[in-house]
Amino acid sequence: MILELDCGNSFIKWRVLGADVRKVIGEGIVDSDLALLEGLKGLEGLSLAHCRLVSVRTAEETEALISLLEGAFGVSVMCAAPAREMAGVRNGYEDFERLGLDRWLAMLGGFHLASGPCLVLDFGTAVTADFIDGDGGHLGGFICPGMPLMRNQLRTHTRRIRYGDLAAERALESLVPGRTTVEAVERGCSLMLRGFVLTQLELARRYWGENYSVFLTGGDAGLVSEIVPEAKVVPDLVFVGLAMACPLS
C-alpha cells in the first residue's frame, strides 16, 4: 500500500492506494499530525510499503511528521522537492525554489492530463492560478485569498460579523443580494472568487484562443465549477503530480 500526503498550511489531505494504484483504500482531510495517525490506524488491514508527500509547511514541521510516520509504520518517506524542470514542465519563477510545491505538482499533473496548454486553478486557503504553455513553459500565475482567508479577515476585523460554518453553507445556496450579514459576506466573497476565475479565463483566451484545458482542484472548486462548464474538476490533481515527482520505481 502507498500513503500519499498533501500537507498544506491548514490541513493534511491523505489517501492510501492499494497494490492497484487506481484503487483508493482510504482517504481523508485532517487538521493535525495526530489526527492523521488516528485516521490511518482506523483503516482495517493497513500495511504500508511506501509513503510520499508534498509539504508547504516549515522544514521543522515536515521533519516532525516524517519522524512520526516512520516510527508508527516503519516506512521510508519520499518528499517532493523543487525543480527547474520536470516531466516536460519548466518552472517559470525567477527563483524556482520559491514556487510553492503544491502549485508545482498541480501544474505537473495538469500538463500531463492536458497534453497541451492549460490553466490550473487551485481553491484552498489561498486561490492560485497558473498558466502552462503547450511546450511546457510555465508563464507565471496569480495568488489571492481563498474563501477561508476572506471570511476570516472579515470576522477578525469587523466586530459584528459572527456566524458559524453551517450558516455560511446555507448562505451560499443562492447568490442574490444578502438580507443578513452572513448572506452578504458569504455571497460577496463567492462573487469575488468568481470574478477572479473569469479574469483568468479571459487571459487564457488571449494566450491560446479556445485551444486550452482548464483544471479545477482544491476544496472550494465546487463554488466556481458552474461558471466554467468546460473545466475538468480533479480533486487529487496534486497527487497526480506527486506520483510524477516521487516515482516508486
Side-chain angles (χ1 to χ4, degrees), residues 119-123 126-131 141-145 150 189-203 224 227:
L119 167 62
V120 176
L121 298 167
D122 192 341
F123 300 88
V127 175
T128 61
D130 284 289
F131 298 78
F142 298 96
I143 304 173
C144 76
M150 286 192 283
C189 291
S190 180
L191 289 173
M192 289 187 71
L193 206 61
R194 289 173 173 230
F196 176 83
V197 170
L198 293 174
T199 301
Q200 307 313 303
L201 296 174
E202 180 182 341
L203 182 54
V224 300
I227 65 169

Side-chain angles (χ1 to χ4, degrees), residues 34-55:
L34 292 180
L36 172 64
L37 283 189
E38 289 178 7
L40 290 171
K41 290 181 177 180
L43 288 180
E44 186 176 350
L46 180 69
S47 178
L48 296 178
H50 305 281
C51 175
R52 54 193 174 201
L53 68 78
V54 55
S55 176

Side-chain angles (χ1 to χ4, degrees), residues 51-54 78-81 86 105 241-249:
C51 175
R52 54 193 174 201
L53 68 78
V54 55
M78 297 178 63
C79 295
M86 181 178 290
L105 296 187
L242 179 61
M244 300 165 70
C246 299
L248 298 175
S249 59

Side-chain angles (χ1 to χ4, degrees), residues 2 21 25 58 83 111:
I2 303 169
V21 295
I25 305 297
T58 65
F111 185 72

Side-chain angles (χ1 to χ4, degrees), residues 7 10 42 50 72-73 101 114 120 147 161 164 166 186 189 217 221 224 237:
C7 305
S10 303
H50 305 281
F73 302 106
L101 277 171
V120 176
M147 284 292 286
I161 294 181
L166 181 58
E186 291 297 315
C189 291
T217 191
V224 300
L237 190 60

Side-chain angles (χ1 to χ4, degrees), residues 3-160:
L3 171 62
E4 297 184 325
L5 302 171
D6 177 4
C7 305
N9 292 303
S10 303
F11 298 99
I12 300 173
K13 184 176 183 180
W14 63 271
R15 72 177 186 180
V16 175
L17 306 179
D20 178 353
V21 295
R22 295 170 297 181
K23 183 178 181 181
V24 177
I25 305 297
E27 60 187 339
I29 299 175
V30 294
D31 60 3
S32 70
D33 294 357
L34 292 180
L36 172 64
L37 283 189
E38 289 178 7
L40 290 171
K41 290 181 177 180
L43 288 180
E44 186 176 350
L46 180 69
S47 178
L48 296 178
H50 305 281
C51 175
R52 54 193 174 201
L53 68 78
V54 55
S55 176
V56 297
R57 299 180 168 194
T58 65
E60 293 76 16
E61 290 173 320
T62 303
E63 285 299 326
L65 175 58
I66 291 173
S67 296
L68 199 63
L69 293 170
E70 291 176 340
F73 302 106
V75 63
S76 62
V77 180
M78 297 178 63
C79 295
R84 172 65 70 188
E85 183 171 353
M86 181 178 290
V89 180
R90 298 187 305 282
N91 193 316
Y93 261 30
E94 294 178 359
D95 179 355
F96 73 91
E97 294 183 333
R98 300 289 294 175
L99 177 66
L101 277 171
D102 50 350
R103 286 175 64 192
W104 175 238
L105 296 187
M107 292 189 323
L108 295 182
F111 185 72
H112 171 72
L113 295 176
S115 299
C118 60
L119 167 62
V120 176
L121 298 167
D122 192 341
F123 300 88
T125 303
V127 175
T128 61
D130 284 289
F131 298 78
I132 303 94
D133 213 344
D135 64 357
H138 175 217
L139 304 179
F142 298 96
I143 304 173
C144 76
M147 284 292 286
L149 284 178
M150 286 192 283
R151 109 172 20 105
N152 288 340
Q153 282 296 302
L154 285 169
R155 286 175 174 174
T156 300
H157 296 288
T158 308
R159 292 183 179 180
R160 299 187 66 180

Side-chain angles (χ1 to χ4, degrees), residues 205-225:
R205 283 192 289 269
R206 291 183 196 170
Y207 281 136
W208 306 305
E210 301 299 326
N211 184 32
Y212 67 96
S213 300
V214 184
F215 295 96
L216 307 181
T217 191
D220 283 329
L223 295 179
V224 300
S225 58

